[in-house]
Amino acid sequence: LASAPPLALAEKYFQLRPDELNPLWGNPCDDARHRRIWSKSKWCDTLPKILVIGPQKTGSTALYTFLAMHPVLVPNQPSPITYEELQFFNNNNYMKGLDWYLNFFPPNQSNASQITFEKSATYFDGDLVPRRAHALLPNAKIIAILISPSKRAYSWYQHIRSHGDPVANNNTFHAIISANDSAPKQLRDLRNRCLNPGKYSHYLERWLSEYNSHQFHIIDGSLLRSEPAIIMNTLQKFLKIPHIDYHKLLKYDAKKGFFCQAVNEKTKCLGKSKGRVYPPMEDRSAKFLKRYYTPHNTALSKLLVRLGRPVPQWLKDELSNG
Ligand code: A3P
C-alpha cells in the first residue's frame, strides 16, 4: 500500500473533488461521533437558534434591539468591526471557521433556558448564505423583514451616501437606479447593489429551497415601524417564547418620529443613522421603481399567497394602478 505526503494527498483529493474546495461548516453537536471528538474546551450548544436575515434598510436594527429586550433572547457579542452584525455566512468571515463564529456566542453569556440569536441584514441576498446557514443551523427560525422595495432602495442610497461612497455622492438617486448597461461599471455595480435586494421573491425562494416554510417568519416592515408592539407580540408566538407585552416596553418618541425603548419616563432611541432625515423621493424615481419592481412584487404576492401568509398593505399599494 503506497501513499503520498499529506500535502500532495490533499492536492490530489481536491483535484478529484473540486466541489469540496469550499468548506461547508456543520454543527458538531448534531452528530454523536463529532461530539465525541470535539475538544472539551469548545462548545457548540450556544449556536443561534434564530437568524434575522434582513435585507438591509428594512428596520433590522430596530428588530434586533426589540428582540434583545426579551429576557429569554440573547444576541451574539458584538464584532469590533461590524458591531452587532457578524456577517459570518456571507463573506470572508466564513473562511475563518466555526471557532471564529462560536466565540461570539460564549457559553457564559446565556443559560439553558435562553435562546441565542443573530442578525446580519446582508444575509438575505447573499448567494451562499441559505446553504451555509442551513448546513450549520438546520433547525433555526429565520426572520425576514420586507418593506416597499422602492423605499428600501432609496434608504440604502441615503445610507451609503452618508458613509461617503464617492459614486453615490457624485450621482443622483435617479442616475443610479436608471443607469443602463452602457454606463460606467462603478455606476452599474452601485445600481445592482441598490436594486437587487428588493427582488424579494427571488431571494425568498432561495431560502425556501433550504428551509421549511414553517421555520420562516416574514415581518411587514412598514408595520414594524408604525405598530412595533403588535409585530413583536406576534413574533413571540412564532418563536414560542414566553409572552411579554411590548406595548409596555416601547414608546413613540415624537422628536425621533419612531418607537423607542421606554426607560422609566424617558425613551432610548436608535442612533442618528437609523431613521435619517432626507428629502422625499423624486416623482420620476418613484414611477421608475414602481414599474421596475412590478414583476418582482407580483411574484412576491403569489409567493405569500402560496405560503398562506398575509399580503402586506404596502405590497397591495405597489401593485395597485394608482
Ligand atoms: P431610514 O434611516 O432610511 O429611515 P436597518 O436597521 O435595517 O438599516 O434599517 C434602517 C431603517 O429602519 C430606517 O431607515 C428606519 O426607517 C427603519 N426603522 C424602523 N423602525 C425604526 C425605529 N424604531 N427606529 C429607527 N428606525 C427604524
Side-chain angles (χ1 to χ4, degrees):
L1 189 67
S3 180
L7 197 61
L9 207 57
E11 273 166 7
K12 183 79 200 155
Y13 180 85
F14 287 119
Q15 264 167 24
L16 294 170
R17 303 296 304 266
D19 52 312
E20 288 186 16
L21 263 175
N22 286 324
L24 195 61
W25 311 124
N27 182 353
C29 283
D30 288 346
D31 186 319
R33 291 167 308 169
H34 293 162
R35 217 180 228 277
R36 269 200 299 278
I37 57 171
W38 192 238
S39 162
K40 293 245 178 317
S41 63
K42 293 188 184 186
W43 58 94
C44 43
D45 293 310
T46 56
L47 277 168
K49 296 191 172 54
I50 303 166
L51 276 189
V52 179
I53 60 171
Q56 284 182 294
K57 309 320 295 171
T58 54
S60 63
T61 314
L63 182 66
Y64 169 91
T65 309
F66 301 161
L67 284 171
M69 291 163 70
H70 198 290
V72 158
L73 301 179
V74 182
N76 52 277
Q77 303 251 290
S79 145
I81 300 163
T82 47
Y83 310 106
E84 85 269 9
E85 296 208 351
L86 299 182
Q87 301 180 359
F88 175 60
F89 295 104
N90 63 312
N91 71 17
N92 294 338
N93 289 335
Y94 192 74
M95 297 305 168
K96 294 180 184 159
L98 186 54
D99 281 357
W100 182 89
Y101 191 50
L102 273 170
N103 280 329
F104 292 100
F105 301 94
N108 58 1
Q109 273 297 112
S110 52
N111 61 46
S113 62
Q114 289 179 310
I115 301 171
T116 49
F117 74 96
E118 197 228 327
K119 178 283 269 196
S120 291
T122 43
Y123 285 167
F124 182 79
D125 53 301
D127 282 346
L128 302 170
V129 179
R131 183 150 177 261
R132 286 175 170 178
H134 188 262
L136 186 63
L137 312 169
N139 302 315
K141 293 188 170 159
I142 310 293
I143 304 171
I145 314 161
L146 306 181
I147 61 170
S148 148
S150 311
K151 284 192 184 156
R152 198 212 72 82
Y154 193 50
S155 168
W156 188 82
Y157 169 76
Q158 302 297 343
H159 169 77
I160 51 157
R161 258 174 86 91
S162 69
H163 278 74
D165 184 287
V167 186
N169 279 327
N170 289 329
N171 288 280
T172 64
F173 180 59
H174 198 77
I176 290 169
I177 58 173
S178 61
N180 61 28
D181 287 340
S182 56
K185 184 174 179 319
Q186 281 184 322
L187 200 57
R188 282 183 282 127
D189 286 348
L190 204 71
R191 174 199 66 190
N192 295 343
R193 285 174 59 212
C194 183
L195 296 180
N196 283 351
K199 299 172 183 175
Y200 296 144
S201 61
H202 170 79
Y203 296 107
L204 286 173
E205 292 285 11
R206 198 153 65 186
W207 277 96
L208 289 166
S209 70
E210 297 289 345
Y211 283 94
N212 189 300
S213 63
H214 296 117
Q215 289 169 266
F216 227 90
H217 188 68
I218 299 172
I219 289 178
D220 175 345
S222 166
L223 285 183
L224 175 66
R225 182 177 171 154
S226 60
E227 303 274 6
I230 295 179
I231 293 291
M232 294 310 292
N233 289 348
T234 312
L235 184 53
Q236 293 177 86
K237 286 190 194 124
F238 168 74
L239 296 174
K240 296 196 172 74
I241 54 175
H243 176 88
I244 57 168
D245 189 1
Y246 274 88
H247 284 107
K248 298 197 177 109
L249 301 180
L250 303 176
K251 196 170 156 192
Y252 186 75
D253 182 306
K255 196 159 160 241
K256 176 83 178 166
F258 285 92
F259 278 85
C260 303
Q261 286 184 64
V263 183
N264 303 323
E265 289 306 299
K266 299 198 172 130
T267 51
K268 187 170 169 232
C269 300
L270 297 184
K272 277 200 197 89
S273 65
K274 305 293 167 184
R276 290 193 171 93
V277 180
Y278 41 80
M281 197 190 305
E282 279 183 273
D283 232 24
R284 59 178 181 150
S285 302
K287 284 195 180 112
F288 177 93
L289 287 177
K290 185 166 177 157
R291 226 180 9 257
Y292 177 89
Y293 280 121
T294 293
H296 305 286
N297 283 335
T298 306
L300 175 65
S301 174
K302 284 187 185 151
L303 173 62
L304 293 175
V305 171
R306 190 180 94 210
L307 296 176
R309 308 296 168 95
V311 175
Q313 189 56 47
W314 65 257
L315 183 53
K316 292 179 186 160
D317 294 344
E318 296 262 336
L319 291 172
S320 72
N321 292 324

